């Protein structure tokens, strides 16, 4: 009745939304110019940026899925029966994460179409920047349960040294919170 109509009205956008506006393609497609390094200097630099931005977008989706799984499986005061009803939803979302990770491995094949000499042409422009400095990659590792003593060093420095301020605070908060490894062990023990 009336409640369902109001619910549909709230879900309806206030105006006709276009694909470009909803996805924000204009904003998204303006981010490949390499501005932080003074613009693009070589043709292959564009490919490098696009591939790494694609990684970051997929990491964002994986984090969204993992955080929802953590929430589903750690809701306080949830009876065991109800929590067990959440398990199939969590499994579906984890399977999605697996699918995304498998697909992102193909991104490396695209990068391999760039000859090492072509990468070396613009390497100096990006200085010490490295995928090891990806905030989201570190968040994924922490949410999955990777601990500091299990990590490889990046440039002989602890990974946390690459992050300051809010970034570091977020990583520390994640380290102190629940992670999937612990949650799964707990669920299996019930």
């Amino acid at each position: 009745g009336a409640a369902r109509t109001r619910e549909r009205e709230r879900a309806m956008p206030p105006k006709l939304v276009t694909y470009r506006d909803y996805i924000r393609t204009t904003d998204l497609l303006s981010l490949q110019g390499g501005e932080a390094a003074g613009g693009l200097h070589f043709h292959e630099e564009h490919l490098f940026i696009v591939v790494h931005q694609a990684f970051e977008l997929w990491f964002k989706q994986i984090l969204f899925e993992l955080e929802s799984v953590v929430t589903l499986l750690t809701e306080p005061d949830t009876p065991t029966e109800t929590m067990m009803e959440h398990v199939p939803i969590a499994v579906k979302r984890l399977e999605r994460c697996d699918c995304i990770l498998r697909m992102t491995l193909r991104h490396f094949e695209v990068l391999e179409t760039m000859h090492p000499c072509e990468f070396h042409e613009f390497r100096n422009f990006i200085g010490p920047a490295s995928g090891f400095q990806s905030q989201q990659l570190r968040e994924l590792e922490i949410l999955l349960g990777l601990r500091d003593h299990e990590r490889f060093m990046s440039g002989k420095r602890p990974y946390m040294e690459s992050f300051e301020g809010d970034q570091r605070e977020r990583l520390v908060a994640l380290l102190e919170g629940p992670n999937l490894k612990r949650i799964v062990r707990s669920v299996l023990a019930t």
Side-chain angles (χ1 to χ4, degrees):
R4 186 172 279 164
T5 301
R6 283 193 302 276
E7 187 176 304
R8 268 193 246 120
E9 287 172 356
R10 273 198 310 269
M12 296 293 289
K15 65 175 186 137
L16 184 61
V17 177
T18 66
Y19 176 84
R20 182 185 72 209
D21 293 338
Y22 186 70
I23 304 298
R24 297 182 59 191
T25 54
T26 302
D27 295 335
L28 181 64
L29 299 176
S30 70
L31 301 174
Q32 291 73 44
E35 284 79 12
L40 294 176
H41 307 287
F42 296 94
H43 180 84
E44 300 300 315
E45 199 171 356
H46 189 269
L47 173 69
F48 184 82
I49 291 170
V50 167
V51 168
H52 285 80
Q53 287 179 343
F55 272 124
E56 292 296 332
L57 287 170
W58 285 121
F59 291 163
K60 183 177 180 103
Q61 182 63 37
I62 294 169
L63 282 167
F64 182 75
E65 302 294 347
L66 291 179
E67 288 170 351
S68 74
V69 168
V70 168
T71 299
L72 271 175
L73 300 179
T74 59
E75 289 178 343
D77 304 322
T78 303
T80 303
E81 304 82 37
T82 305
M83 200 240 328
M84 293 313 273
E85 292 172 9
H86 293 170
V87 170
I89 298 167
V91 168
K92 176 186 174 191
R93 291 175 184 173
L94 291 172
E95 286 173 344
R96 180 177 294 147
C97 292
D98 178 62
C99 179
I100 293 168
L101 284 171
R102 290 176 189 277
M103 190 261 318
T104 60
L105 288 175
R106 303 276 330 262
H107 290 26
F108 287 110
E109 292 177 31
V110 176
L111 274 180
E112 288 172 356
T113 67
M114 181 190 321
H115 192 278
C117 291
E118 293 170 320
F119 173 68
H120 187 67
E121 287 177 332
F122 64 88
R123 181 64 177 123
N124 288 338
F125 291 104
I126 59 176
S130 166
F132 282 107
Q133 296 167 333
S134 168
Q135 167 88 18
Q136 293 189 118
L137 180 59
R138 298 302 167 216
E139 290 178 22
L140 286 173
E141 293 172 342
I142 293 168
L143 274 175
L144 290 170
L146 185 67
R147 291 295 170 220
D148 287 349
H149 70 276
E150 299 169 317
R151 294 178 181 278
F152 291 107
M153 297 287 274
S154 169
K156 299 181 183 175
R157 295 177 14 180
Y159 76 98
M160 197 64 85
E161 287 183 15
S162 296
F163 304 100
E164 298 175 350
D166 292 346
Q167 291 181 324
R168 184 179 287 215
E169 287 174 23
R170 168 122 169 102
L171 292 174
V172 169
L174 285 171
L175 279 167
E176 294 170 354
N179 68 61
L180 221 46
K181 185 192 284 185
R182 271 190 253 133
I183 293 166
V184 168
R185 285 181 179 161
S186 173
V187 169
L188 292 175
T190 57

